[in-house]
Amino acid sequence: MTPPTGERPVTERLPAARRRQQLLDVALTVFGEQGLHPASMNDVAEAAGVTKPVLYQHFRSKRDLYREVLTDVGAHLLEAITTATTTAQSPHEQVELGFIAYFEWVERNQAAFRVLFGGGTRRDDEFAAQVAKVEGAIAEAIATLIDVPGLTPPQRRQLAHGLVGLAEGTSRLWIREGSEEPADDLARLVADMAWRGLRGVRGA
């Protein structure tokens, strides 16, 4: 039955966990399109088809919601990379599959990439620190894949952070220019450069 004009449709009742994830997904889209500061809790509630009280049942404030969105996005990106690299049969393939997973994730989740690495997030000290933790977790996972004899653990982590920065910086330009080059092609190009660079590294 169609509700009378002006009435809000009855919100579908979902289990708490599913409702929370739905709100996170919608908030990601809203923040990705509008940015951290312009977007409001009312915008998220309207986009999700719920009332503001329902939204506040799950998230105490916009900052709380944004914090949860960053955590959710970071976990998905890390999972995509680690899942892809576990299937590799060689160190070279690990590097390639890691970059492919990263760029394919960016291609499918451009709003998520903008939220995670956008200016609004970077200009907020708390959120910037949270993103740094995400980058650190990704770098820690990549560090274990760097197969260069003689490197110390800190040196592996430093190189891993460099690879994360390489992927992020390339993705920024790729998105800004319209993402016309296929994700796999760009990933293999960057991976080849990274691999050749790692091959030239000499440990102690």
Side-chain angles (χ1 to χ4, degrees):
M1 178 178 177
T2 303
T5 303
E7 279 190 25
R8 179 188 288 272
V10 177
T11 303
E12 180 186 359
R13 295 186 64 84
L14 296 174
R18 285 182 58 194
R19 174 64 73 194
R20 185 180 180 85
Q21 187 60 54
Q22 181 228 5
L23 294 173
L24 284 173
D25 293 342
V26 171
L28 170 59
T29 299
V30 172
F31 287 131
E33 291 176 349
Q34 298 186 27
L36 168 59
H37 298 294
S40 68
M41 292 291 272
N42 192 57
D43 293 330
V44 176
E46 287 189 358
V50 302
T51 62
K52 284 179 68 176
V54 169
L55 182 58
Y56 278 106
Q57 285 175 7
H58 294 272
F59 306 99
R60 294 170 296 176
S61 65
K62 187 173 79 168
R63 292 189 68 84
D64 183 43
L65 174 58
Y66 198 80
R67 190 181 302 111
E68 290 291 331
V69 167
L70 289 177
T71 298
D72 196 52
V73 167
H76 282 102
L77 174 55
L78 178 59
E79 181 183 16
I81 295 170
T82 54
T83 299
T85 55
T86 55
T87 66
Q89 301 299 311
S90 68
H92 186 189
E93 190 177 16
Q94 284 181 323
V95 172
E96 184 173 273
L97 291 180
F99 276 105
I100 290 174
Y102 189 102
F103 283 103
E104 286 185 343
W105 182 88
V106 172
E107 184 176 46
R108 294 191 306 268
N109 303 278
Q110 293 190 24
F113 181 81
R114 287 193 294 270
V115 166
L116 195 59
F117 298 114
T121 302
R122 295 291 195 183
R123 287 191 292 271
D124 186 290
D125 289 344
E126 178 191 357
F127 297 145
Q130 190 171 350
V131 171
K133 289 182 180 179
V134 172
E135 293 173 324
I138 295 172
E140 287 291 341
I142 292 175
T144 64
L145 308 179
I146 296 178
D147 184 25
V148 178
L151 286 185
T152 65
Q155 289 173 329
R156 291 177 188 273
R157 286 197 297 273
Q158 288 165 350
L159 289 177
H161 275 278
L163 294 177
V164 172
L166 174 61
E168 180 189 333
T170 306
S171 295
R172 285 179 183 278
L173 181 62
W174 183 50
I175 290 177
R176 190 163 62 244
E177 293 186 343
S179 310
E180 292 184 1
E181 186 171 4
D184 285 9
D185 290 351
L186 180 59
R188 288 188 172 91
L189 181 66
V190 175
D192 186 53
M193 179 179 70
W195 176 253
R196 291 174 185 274
L198 288 173
R199 291 303 86 199
V201 172
R202 294 290 183 268

